[in-house]
Amino acid sequence: MPLIDPVVLVHGGAGDIPAERVEGKLVGVKRAVRIGYEKLSTTGCVLDAVEEAVRSMELDPFFNAGYGSVLTTEMEVEMEASIMNGATLQAGCCSLVKDIMHPVSLARRVMKTPHNFLAGNGVMQFAKEEGFDILSPPGQLVTDYAREALEEWKEGQRRGEIEFARTEIGSSNKYNKAEVGTVGAVAIDANGNIAVATSTGGITGKLPGRVGDTPLVGAGTYADNRVGGVSTTGHGETIMKYCLAHDILKRIDFLGENAQVATENACKEMTEKLTGTAGAITIDSHGQVGVSFTSQRMAWAYTKGSTVAYGIEQNQHLEEALQI
């Protein structure tokens, strides 16, 4: 089998992203993809690459993951993440994670257990046993922006207006701080090994205990060396009903669509059928890239060779030299 050009591809969440957040998100995804690519070049491990790329976005308040996560109706951060190895189909998933800076690393640690998924009190106990730093006092991940978003969402509720954070149907809602979204990364090495990781704080105004698509294998994350890898973002309730990540890979596998066409068609058909919008990033087994979204905006970036490609608007494709 001929060697493949290694690729690292990331997204920073799809949704009604306000104009004032665009530049910060572009800076963040370009930083993440460089970090992931450097890690892949150094260790040769695609799991390391996607974990590090996502960790960088979990530290960035411009993203809805880790520090920057949105709030539940009870003013708390409840996060979830997943990671998957395309060589073995081994997965690690976690949900209802609190006061941990890097849920993606906790998800990867779950891969050590006999299980795929840990949540709630169980995953928090596991995190303590594994030596994760539990932030104390609680609430250190709550940002001023997240507080403002929840207050705007609550004001919309009081006025009886659209439940933007729970429906994420279009781009006309005035409560623009209530953006949904996720962060994710997909990587392939020269030998065709693929890994995917996804992390999120969920949706503004979610009920405590809500679980979205991000930690669900086949919905938010999927990796299979035979076909490719996908990370999704957008309205979780819609994505999980459509099994968006799995649908994209099955289009590649059974319909012979390339990564870009499969990603476009799956996102479009999902939105046509179920209304909710979303986006996805894909790398197929040949190292070809797919990026598409039906939301207003989605920040994305990938590096292949000496170039970083990136964008956030529909049909936008910018490039600059890779600097590591």
Side-chain angles (χ1 to χ4, degrees):
M1 179 179 175
L3 294 180
I4 295 168
D5 289 334
V7 183
V8 177
L9 168 64
V10 307
H11 69 74
D16 288 11
I17 299 168
E20 64 269 21
R21 302 273 285 179
V22 166
E23 183 60 28
K25 286 182 180 287
L26 286 176
V27 169
V29 292
K30 288 189 287 183
R31 180 192 304 117
V33 83
R34 290 187 178 102
I35 289 171
Y37 193 77
E38 182 176 15
K39 179 61 72 169
L40 181 58
S41 300
T42 301
T43 70
C45 177
V46 285
L47 284 168
D48 289 346
V50 295
E51 180 184 4
E52 288 301 316
V54 168
R55 280 174 64 94
S56 76
M57 291 184 282
E58 289 175 334
L59 290 171
D60 190 332
F62 276 96
F63 298 111
N64 175 18
Y67 182 66
S69 291
V70 298
L71 302 178
T72 70
T73 54
E74 300 302 314
M75 291 284 291
E76 289 189 323
V77 167
E78 292 184 349
M79 301 168 290
E80 49 199 24
S82 58
I83 190 167
M84 189 167 183
N85 184 345
T88 62
L89 302 189
Q90 186 180 16
C93 311
C94 59
S95 190
L96 307 181
V97 176
K98 298 182 179 182
D99 300 307
I100 289 177
M101 186 65 77
H102 294 297
V104 70
S105 294
L106 181 56
R108 187 171 181 186
R109 200 70 61 86
V110 171
M111 297 174 82
K112 292 175 48 180
T113 75
H115 311 301
N116 293 327
F117 200 145
L118 295 177
N121 292 336
V123 78
M124 295 306 298
Q125 181 61 37
F126 175 73
K128 293 175 183 177
E129 293 171 356
E130 289 293 310
F132 278 80
D133 184 19
I134 312 298
L135 299 174
S136 181
Q140 295 184 46
L141 298 178
V142 178
T143 65
D144 289 342
Y145 191 87
R147 289 190 188 95
E148 292 169 7
L150 183 63
E151 286 306 311
E152 288 191 356
W153 180 84
K154 287 182 176 180
E155 179 61 25
Q157 294 296 288
R158 286 190 288 269
R159 293 175 181 271
E161 296 176 0
I162 296 172
E163 291 189 61
F164 170 76
R166 290 184 184 163
T167 56
E168 215 279 290
I169 291 173
S171 58
S172 61
N173 191 276
K174 64 187 263 188
Y175 298 99
N176 284 333
K177 282 191 173 67
E179 58 183 272
V180 298
T182 305
V183 303
V186 187
I188 188 169
D189 68 14
N191 297 310
N193 294 308
I194 297 171
V196 181
T198 312
S199 179
T200 191
I203 52 178
T204 295
K206 67 182 181 179
L207 296 175
R210 178 262 188 183
V211 175
D213 66 293
T214 292
L216 302 183
V217 170
T221 295
Y222 205 82
D224 183 342
N225 281 5
R226 297 180 309 106
V227 187
V230 179
S231 176
T232 71
T233 172
H235 186 238
E237 277 68 17
T238 301
I239 293 169
M240 64 202 300
K241 285 185 284 189
Y242 203 75
C243 296
L244 181 59
H246 199 253
D247 184 70
I248 291 170
L249 292 187
K250 290 309 172 187
R251 289 172 178 275
I252 295 171
D253 196 10
F254 295 125
L255 299 181
E257 296 177 351
N258 64 38
Q260 182 61 36
V261 171
T263 308
E264 288 179 2
N265 286 344
C267 290
K268 180 181 177 181
E269 290 187 17
M270 183 203 73
T271 296
E272 287 176 349
K273 183 173 184 177
L274 298 173
T275 306
T277 66
I281 56 172
T282 305
I283 300 177
D284 69 21
S285 61
H286 305 290
Q288 300 301 306
V289 169
V291 176
S292 188
F293 51 99
T294 55
S295 305
Q296 180 194 38
R297 293 183 171 114
M298 182 182 79
W300 60 271
Y302 69 86
T303 182
K304 189 174 186 178
S306 60
T307 301
V308 175
Y310 62 97
I312 193 168
E313 308 287 352
Q314 291 285 351
N315 303 312
Q316 184 180 43
H317 185 104
L318 306 172
E319 291 188 358
E320 62 185 48
L322 172 65
Q323 297 177 350
I324 294 180

